Amino acid sequence: MDKTESNLEVTEETTELPALTAADRCDICGAQAFIRVVLATGDLVFCGHHGTANKDKLKPIAISWQDETSKLS
Ligand SMILES: [Zn+2]
């Protein structure tokens, strides 16, 4: 492989999380969840609205940010 090597070492390039289902409910308002945030302390799930509302706060500390808001359409 003579691909240019990246300086970034990616240990977990793909986190395999189960897709969110209708049974997953936003931790704040109880609407169907489309965003899962994996934190060191556990998972949180949010609807599209609250996921976006908390993104600035949680994204920097999230281990994984699973955004399925594209399913909303
Ligand atoms: Zn919500």
Side-chain angles (χ1 to χ4, degrees):
M1 306 292 167
D2 46 24
K3 255 174 101 180
T4 310
E5 292 232 7
S6 165
N7 291 327
L8 290 169
E9 206 160 304
V10 182
T11 46
E12 286 177 50
E13 52 181 51
T14 320
T15 33
E16 289 183 29
L17 293 166
L20 291 160
T21 70
D24 289 304
R25 295 286 155 179
C26 174
D27 286 338
I28 296 172
C29 71
Q32 186 174 347
F34 288 96
I35 294 172
R36 173 187 280 125
V37 186
V38 182
L39 301 169
T41 49
D43 291 14
L44 295 172
V45 290
F46 295 118
C47 64
H49 171 76
H50 286 118
T52 304
N54 288 287
K55 195 166 190 171
D56 287 350
K57 191 170 61 178
L58 293 176
K59 189 89 187 263
I61 58 168
I63 294 166
S64 175
W65 188 275
Q66 181 181 9
D67 188 333
E68 297 186 5
T69 50
S70 56
K71 285 183 178 178
L72 275 167
S73 55

